[in-house]
């Protein structure tokens, strides 16, 4: 998970509301043009908020899609930061696949890959012989790319055990032995976390594997430093989450952690947790 700066506008001024309004209107006009699909800009006291789901959808269907498709590929036209993120992400994928193989017969298991991106996990799982893999993502561009990669992997025909759908975490359907949610929670705030975990738990029967950007003093400091360097590719909020908060919330829902691992490179930080149902 790359700690990207946010597009949110915090307290524009703590002294003068009139001065804040002076800056608010130009900012909403700019954001409206930059993200035409976003309709929920609002002004709350001195704080402007934008719906996270709409930001994430827009970003990963446009500039974010092009950026992350290149990172999650063999494309050599990437910079050092992107190469570092690629290595970190691949370490996360390799760790999860190893855990799954060590934990039982994959051919008898069904998987829900929630937030599948370009299919980095769902395609290898299908190749391992999983009984069923249902992969979904909020971005139709990501889903289309995942489908194209799957077709290439199998010579034109996606196997019947693997399906891709466009959808968000709060509307997952079905029932699965294992639910995966990897490098997704970074896009959602603590306030949204409860409903997202409810959705994951609802469709998971036996095992869940999630990852998140851990909220520690060191990583929070790195993120704040990164906020001083805005760029066109940094177009979503990035949320860090306390491990205790997530594990406590899942324990209240009947899940306990059995394995943990922190993947960290210079620009990628992801805490992976495997959980079993009580």
């Amino acid at each position: 998970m790359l700690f990207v700066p946010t597009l949110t506008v915090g307290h524009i001024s703590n002294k003068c509301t009139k001065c804040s309004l002076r800056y608010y209107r130009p900012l909403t006009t700019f954001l409206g043009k930059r993200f035409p699909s976003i309709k929920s800009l609002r002004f709350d006291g001195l704080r402007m908020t934008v719906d996270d789901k709409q930001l994430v959808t827009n970003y990963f269907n446009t500039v974010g899609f092009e950026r992350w498709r290149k990172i999650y590929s063999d494309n050599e036209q990437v910079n050092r930061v992107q190469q570092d993120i690629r290595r970190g992400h691949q370490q996360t994928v390799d760790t999860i696949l190893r855990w799954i193989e060590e934990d039982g017969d994959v051919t008898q298991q069904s998987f829900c890959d929630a937030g599948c991106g370009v299919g980095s996990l769902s395609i290898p799982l299908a190749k391992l012989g999983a009984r069923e893999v249902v992969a979904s993502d909020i971005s139709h561009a990501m889903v289309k790319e995942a489908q194209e990669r799957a077709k290439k992997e199998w010579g034109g025909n996606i196997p019947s055990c693997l399906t891709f759908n466009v959808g968000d975490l709060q509307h997952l359907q079905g029932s699965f032995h294992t639910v995966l949610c990897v490098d997704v929670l970074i896009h959602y705030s603590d306030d949204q976390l409860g409903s997202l975990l409810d959705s994951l738990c609802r469709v998971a029967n036996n095992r869940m594997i999630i990852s998140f950007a851990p909220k520690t003093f060191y990583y929070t400091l790195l993120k704040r430093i990164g906020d001083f360097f805005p760029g066109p590719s940094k177009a979503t909020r990035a949320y860090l989450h306390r491990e205790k908060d997530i594990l406590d919330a899942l324990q209240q829902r009947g899940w306990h952690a059995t394995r943990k691992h922190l993947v960290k490179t210079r620009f990628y930080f992801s805490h992976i947790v495997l959980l079993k149902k009580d």
Side-chain angles (χ1 to χ4, degrees):
M1 299 173 190
L2 178 64
F3 295 150
V4 292
T6 80
L7 258 183
T8 48
V9 178
H11 294 283
I12 302 172
S13 169
N14 290 324
K15 297 180 179 179
C16 179
T17 302
K18 183 181 295 185
C19 181
S20 299
L21 288 171
R22 173 186 170 191
Y23 293 105
Y24 169 71
R25 292 188 180 91
L27 280 168
T28 54
T29 300
F30 167 76
L31 288 174
K33 292 179 179 179
R34 182 69 176 79
F35 300 100
S37 66
I38 296 174
K39 304 298 182 182
S40 60
L41 285 171
R42 65 183 179 86
F43 191 60
D44 183 10
L46 295 180
R47 183 174 292 277
M48 182 176 69
T49 61
V50 182
D51 182 74
D52 287 303
K53 186 188 297 185
Q54 289 180 312
L55 269 177
V56 173
T57 303
N58 183 283
Y59 175 66
F60 283 105
N61 276 326
T62 53
V63 61
F65 166 68
E66 294 298 335
R67 180 173 188 261
W68 292 100
R69 179 178 62 171
K70 184 166 66 172
I71 292 174
Y72 297 155
S73 71
D74 296 327
N75 192 317
E76 296 182 358
Q77 301 300 314
V78 292
N79 58 41
R80 289 194 304 169
V81 172
Q82 292 170 331
Q83 288 175 345
D84 183 83
I85 296 169
R86 178 185 291 174
R87 285 193 297 270
H89 175 74
Q90 191 58 51
Q91 289 178 32
T92 295
V93 170
D94 292 342
T95 298
I96 292 172
L97 292 174
R98 185 178 71 253
W99 285 0
I100 289 172
E101 289 189 273
E102 293 172 353
D103 206 25
D105 185 2
V106 178
T107 63
Q108 301 302 313
Q109 299 170 4
S110 58
F111 294 84
C112 169
D113 187 4
C116 66
V118 297
S120 301
L121 273 170
S122 47
I123 292 174
L125 282 170
K127 290 181 67 177
L128 285 174
R131 178 167 58 83
E132 179 186 25
V133 181
V134 176
S136 63
D137 198 278
I138 198 170
S139 163
H140 65 79
M142 286 289 187
V143 169
K144 184 177 179 181
E145 176 68 16
Q147 290 173 325
E148 292 302 316
R149 293 190 183 196
K151 289 178 182 178
K152 184 178 179 180
E153 193 68 41
W154 279 279
N157 295 310
I158 301 176
S160 59
C161 69
L162 176 60
T163 58
F164 293 97
N165 302 300
V166 177
D168 62 68
L169 295 187
Q170 293 169 317
H171 297 91
L172 298 174
Q173 301 292 328
S175 179
F176 304 90
H177 176 278
T178 300
V179 169
L180 308 166
C181 186
V182 177
D183 289 1
V184 175
L185 298 182
I186 192 172
H187 301 297
Y188 298 94
S189 68
D190 287 336
D191 292 339
Q192 298 168 303
L193 203 57
S195 63
L196 297 179
L197 295 179
D198 282 339
S199 184
L200 296 175
C201 293
R202 187 182 65 249
V203 297
N205 292 331
N206 181 272
R207 181 176 58 192
M208 194 184 314
I209 302 176
I210 64 173
S211 75
F212 55 92
K215 189 172 187 178
T216 66
F217 174 80
Y218 176 66
Y219 294 146
T220 300
L221 178 62
L222 286 182
K223 179 181 179 297
R224 288 181 181 273
I225 293 172
D227 288 346
F228 287 106
F229 301 95
S233 64
K234 301 172 182 178
T236 62
R237 298 182 180 106
Y239 296 103
L240 313 185
H241 299 289
R242 292 186 178 88
E243 177 185 353
K244 186 179 186 301
D245 292 343
I246 289 183
L247 296 188
D248 285 352
L250 287 168
Q251 188 173 29
Q252 292 170 7
R253 290 162 172 80
W255 293 81
H256 64 277
T258 61
R259 300 185 78 163
K260 304 176 189 178
H261 180 66
L262 175 64
V263 174
K264 56 180 180 178
T265 62
R266 292 186 64 187
F267 300 99
Y268 177 96
F269 309 90
S270 184
H271 191 52
I272 316 168
V273 182
L274 186 152
L275 304 106
K276 293 290 186 71
K277 199 166 188 178
D278 294 339

